[in-house]
Amino acid sequence: MVSAGVEVKISRLESIVEQIGEAVISTTETIERLAERLENLSLQVEAQGKQVQQQGYQIFALCDAVQSLAESQDDSLKKLTQLTQSLDRLTSLIQGQV
């Protein structure tokens, strides 16, 4: 009788240990999947960071180009103003001779 009771307890312990083992294996697999996902996310964030940095460089280059264009536009406007003034003087001279 005592032996049958001990066997039942051992059987229950074996079942509990088996369930604990299965839970540990399941948890380990879940953690491994989460680690893989985390690594993938990390790679994506790194790639996006590089894209943002590249876009920053492009924006800087664009701003520089716009500034150069504005300066060129300003120079052109000054030259056009000078040309207009010269044409006005020339017109005045021509009108004065007529």
Side-chain angles (χ1 to χ4, degrees):
M1 239 339 175
V2 173
S3 149
V6 171
E7 286 182 23
V8 169
K9 288 181 181 180
I10 290 174
S11 176
R12 286 162 124 187
L13 284 173
E14 287 175 346
S15 175
I16 291 170
V17 169
E18 184 179 338
Q19 290 174 358
I20 290 172
E22 288 172 359
V24 168
I25 290 172
S26 177
T27 302
T28 302
E29 290 172 352
T30 300
I31 290 172
E32 287 174 354
R33 284 193 304 271
L34 286 172
E36 289 173 4
R37 289 180 183 171
L38 202 69
E39 185 176 352
N40 288 338
L41 285 173
S42 175
L43 293 173
Q44 289 175 1
V45 167
E46 184 180 349
Q48 289 174 351
K50 288 179 182 178
Q51 288 176 346
V52 167
Q53 183 179 28
Q54 187 64 32
Q55 289 171 347
Y57 293 147
Q58 291 171 345
I59 289 171
F60 179 77
L62 182 60
C63 289
D64 192 46
V66 168
Q67 183 178 357
S68 295
L69 181 61
E71 289 169 359
S72 176
Q73 180 81 14
D74 189 48
D75 289 344
S76 295
L77 183 59
K78 287 177 184 175
K79 289 178 183 176
L80 187 58
T81 301
Q82 290 173 354
L83 180 60
T84 303
Q85 290 171 351
S86 295
L87 286 174
D88 284 343
R89 283 190 300 252
L90 183 60
T91 303
S92 295
L93 287 174
I94 291 174
Q95 287 176 348
Q97 289 181 354
V98 173

